[in-house]
Amino acid sequence: MLYSIPWYVVVFQSIPEIFLTLILGFKLFNLDIEFKKVFLISCIVSIVVYFTRKNITVYGVHTIVFIISSLIAIKIILRINFICSFICIATSILINGLLQSLFTPILFGIFQKNTEDLIEFPWINVLNFIPCGLLMVGFFKYIDKRKIYIFDLKMYENDEKSLIKDKSILVLFTILIQGIFIIIINQNFYLFHEFYGTGTQYVVVNYVISIQTILVLISIRGLGSDIENKVEMNFLKTHLKQMESLYNVLRTQNHEHKRHIQTIQSMIYLDEIQSAKEYIDGLSENYSQTDDVIYVGNMALTALINDKRKVAEMNNVNFDFSINCILSKLKINSWDLCSVLGNLLDNAFEIVIKKRDNRQVKLEINYVDDKYVVEVSNNGEKISEIEIDKIFEPGYTTKGSVGRGYGLFLTKSLIEKYGGTIEVYCQEDTVFRIVFPYKEGGLSE
């Protein structure tokens, strides 16, 4: 049955255990939280669980109360939606349950105690928590240093509707609920070992449960990797479309050049020198600069910029661009750089097209003080101060359509991936300013 615990177990086990469970869970899903607020939540939830254990004797209820009270406190204090919170908490409970399943039998063996002794000697709970807590701290520091997470929930942090629509989340929920249920049943059986045996039987069952828990965590990681691959695939598709567009332009130009050369060659062979001169003069006068491919020192950027020139021409937008430096030290994958600039330029075009005339979009790349500075500006409708504060939040959009609001969030994430920063300010024009640090190496084609 579920037994009550004294105050010192709450102070030295419950509060730190809940604190570590929360910070580890949110770190595993790439969600930023304030430690002070998490500590406050840990204290509140610990008190709730403490009184639950004093009044309810059914084992497992305290875990359910812990989850529910944590979800409510996190929603109120951290403003994180219930689904994200549940995923983080449930995953961390699985890890904590796995550690307890491994260490509890060992410590009982060392101190010659059993589950019945927990009521008479509650300090064993604190002792049992120490190795689990140390491992959780070590795990937290490791994933924080390596910037590892098993599933990126940051984009869903403030958008519960999109989270619900993601079919992967349903699978994740099923896996987590199943995992928690198995952990609770395993611990319940251990407390009531007389119903299913001890010794070798428990060891075998415990190892099976532990392996199942590890497989659950691996499955969660697999879901996260699948979503990341889908996002990257979309970026690559856009990149390939731009390269294909450049190839088609070059092929068309090559065909035109061959035709003109053959015509001039035929005139010269027929001694129609004057006609050939007039033909060449006509070509020079009527040659359309907009049909030229402008090279910027990198094929991916060349494809992107020439593609946007076409967009500008079709929508009567004056698209000015200047690359005033060599990009050889800008160590960023080409498709990532094109995804960043492409999204910012698309937004700029979308804004200025709303104007009747004088539509201006500019792209400028400079190398200043050992940093690459990229600016994308437009003279369209200004962004309000309130919108500037929210514009990079996931799910935030002023366009009023479902599925929008992640472009700038993903753009910011890509920039930060390479150690860069982005800011937006409005003066005469609206300017998005990106700063990338200098790095040894070259821009990947």
Side-chain angles (χ1 to χ4, degrees):
M1 70 176 187
L2 187 64
Y3 55 91
S4 60
I5 54 177
W7 66 269
Y8 62 84
V9 174
V10 175
V11 174
F12 295 107
Q13 183 213 351
S14 296
I15 293 177
E17 183 178 38
I18 292 174
F19 177 79
L20 290 175
T21 299
L22 294 179
I23 64 170
L24 179 59
F26 284 104
K27 179 61 67 175
L28 285 170
F29 290 89
N30 198 31
L31 293 177
D32 300 321
I33 52 176
E34 296 181 34
F35 282 7
K36 290 182 180 179
K37 292 183 178 180
V38 175
F39 180 74
L40 174 60
I41 293 171
S42 302
C43 293
I44 295 172
V45 174
S46 295
I47 293 172
V48 173
V49 174
Y50 169 75
F51 283 105
T52 300
R53 295 180 70 121
K54 289 192 69 173
N55 296 284
I56 299 177
T57 59
V58 179
Y59 189 83
V61 172
H62 68 301
T63 302
I64 298 173
V65 171
F66 158 63
I67 294 175
I68 295 175
S69 57
S70 296
L71 292 176
I72 295 172
I74 290 169
K75 179 66 174 179
I76 295 173
I77 297 174
L78 296 179
R79 306 291 184 182
I80 298 176
N81 66 65
F82 290 119
I83 297 178
C84 285
S85 298
F86 175 80
I87 292 172
C88 297
I89 294 171
T91 303
S92 196
I93 286 176
L94 285 178
I95 295 174
N96 189 28
L98 172 62
L99 295 176
Q100 288 183 7
S101 297
L102 295 175
F103 282 104
T104 299
I106 295 174
L107 290 174
F108 279 0
I110 293 174
F111 291 99
Q112 299 297 309
K113 303 293 183 182
N114 55 45
T115 55
E116 295 176 356
D117 295 325
L118 291 174
I119 300 175
E120 185 177 356
F121 305 104
W123 56 266
I124 297 177
N125 289 279
V126 180
L127 199 62
N128 186 42
F129 164 69
I130 292 175
C132 298
L134 290 175
L135 282 174
M136 291 176 75
V137 170
F139 190 29
F140 176 86
K141 289 185 175 181
Y142 177 78
I143 62 177
D144 183 49
K145 182 179 180 180
R146 295 297 185 92
K147 305 300 179 185
I148 299 172
Y149 52 86
I150 62 176
F151 193 101
D152 191 357
L153 285 177
K154 187 181 286 289
M155 68 178 66
Y156 296 118
E157 187 176 3
N158 299 310
D159 188 8
E160 197 165 4
K161 292 182 179 179
S162 296
L163 186 62
I164 295 172
K165 293 179 181 178
D166 193 332
K167 295 180 180 179
S168 300
I169 300 302
L170 178 61
V171 177
L172 185 57
F173 250 88
T174 304
I175 292 174
L176 288 172
I177 292 173
Q178 175 188 351
I180 291 176
F181 178 76
I182 292 175
I183 288 290
I184 292 176
I185 293 299
N186 182 45
Q187 293 178 345
N188 196 40
F189 281 164
Y190 184 69
L191 292 175
F192 297 94
H193 54 78
E194 63 267 26
F195 288 110
Y196 87 119
T198 58
T200 304
Q201 289 179 331
Y202 176 75
V203 171
V204 172
V205 172
N206 201 43
Y207 277 121
V208 171
I209 299 299
S210 300
I211 292 172
Q212 186 273 338
T213 304
I214 294 172
L215 291 175
V216 167
L217 297 174
I218 293 173
S219 300
I220 295 172
R221 173 61 180 165
L223 285 173
S225 299
D226 182 59
I227 290 180
E228 289 177 6
N229 291 336
K230 288 179 181 178
V231 173
E232 185 173 352
M233 189 179 298
N234 288 332
F235 285 153
L236 287 173
K237 283 181 180 179
T238 301
H239 177 62
L240 289 174
K241 285 181 181 179
Q242 292 167 350
M243 294 298 289
E244 183 181 12
S245 176
L246 175 63
Y247 170 75
N248 290 333
V249 170
L250 291 174
R251 187 175 62 178
T252 301
Q253 284 192 354
N254 184 52
H255 176 75
E256 287 295 309
H257 291 160
K258 284 184 178 180
R259 184 174 62 81
H260 291 314
I261 289 173
Q262 289 171 352
T263 301
I264 295 170
Q265 185 182 41
S266 299
M267 289 180 178
I268 293 174
Y269 283 160
L270 295 172
D271 288 330
E272 297 288 341
I273 305 301
Q274 185 61 35
S275 297
K277 288 180 178 181
E278 291 175 357
Y279 189 86
I280 293 172
D281 290 340
L283 284 177
S284 300
E285 291 176 1
N286 298 323
Y287 191 81
S288 175
Q289 293 296 327
T290 57
D291 290 335
D292 276 347
V293 173
I294 296 179
Y295 295 91
V296 296
N298 175 270
M299 286 304 296
L301 283 179
T302 296
L304 173 68
I305 289 175
N306 283 279
D307 181 66
K308 300 310 174 188
R309 288 175 67 219
K310 289 182 179 180
V311 174
E313 183 182 356
M314 291 171 58
N315 293 280
N316 194 27
V317 175
N318 184 11
F319 176 40
D320 293 329
F321 59 92
S322 59
I323 299 178
N324 306 314
C325 58
I326 299 174
L327 301 175
S328 60
K329 299 297 183 183
L330 182 56
K331 194 175 182 181
I332 299 176
N333 289 333
S334 292
W335 52 85
D336 285 341
L337 181 61
C338 288
S339 295
V340 168
L341 297 183
N343 187 56
L344 293 178
L345 288 172
D346 286 342
N347 287 346
F349 284 128
E350 190 171 349
I351 291 171
V352 299
I353 287 173
K354 297 177 182 178
K355 296 183 63 176
R356 292 184 178 181
D357 53 18
N358 189 28
R359 300 167 174 172
Q360 300 281 341
V361 174
K362 296 179 182 178
L363 167 65
E364 188 172 355
I365 303 179
N366 295 292
Y367 187 71
V368 182
D369 297 331
D370 292 331
K371 295 181 178 67
Y372 285 95
V373 181
V374 182
E375 291 189 348
V376 177
S377 60
N378 70 83
N379 67 341
E381 184 180 353
K382 299 293 187 297
I383 302 174
S384 68
E385 293 184 5
I386 297 177
E387 290 175 337
I388 287 178
D389 293 336
K390 298 181 179 180
I391 200 167
F392 294 110
E393 292 181 2
Y396 180 79
T397 177
T398 59
K399 297 168 185 175
S401 59
V402 177
R404 305 298 292 268
Y406 290 97
L408 288 176
F409 167 73
L410 293 174
T411 296
K412 185 172 184 289
S413 299
L414 278 176
I415 293 169
E416 292 176 345
K417 172 184 174 182
Y418 293 97
T421 59
I422 182 172
E423 59 181 355
V424 56
Y425 55 90
C426 297
Q427 296 175 349
E428 292 183 3
D429 294 337
T430 299
V431 181
F432 285 82
R433 189 173 190 266
I434 306 168
V435 177
F436 286 114
Y438 167 89
K439 290 185 179 180
E440 288 294 338
L443 186 149
S444 176
E445 288 287 356

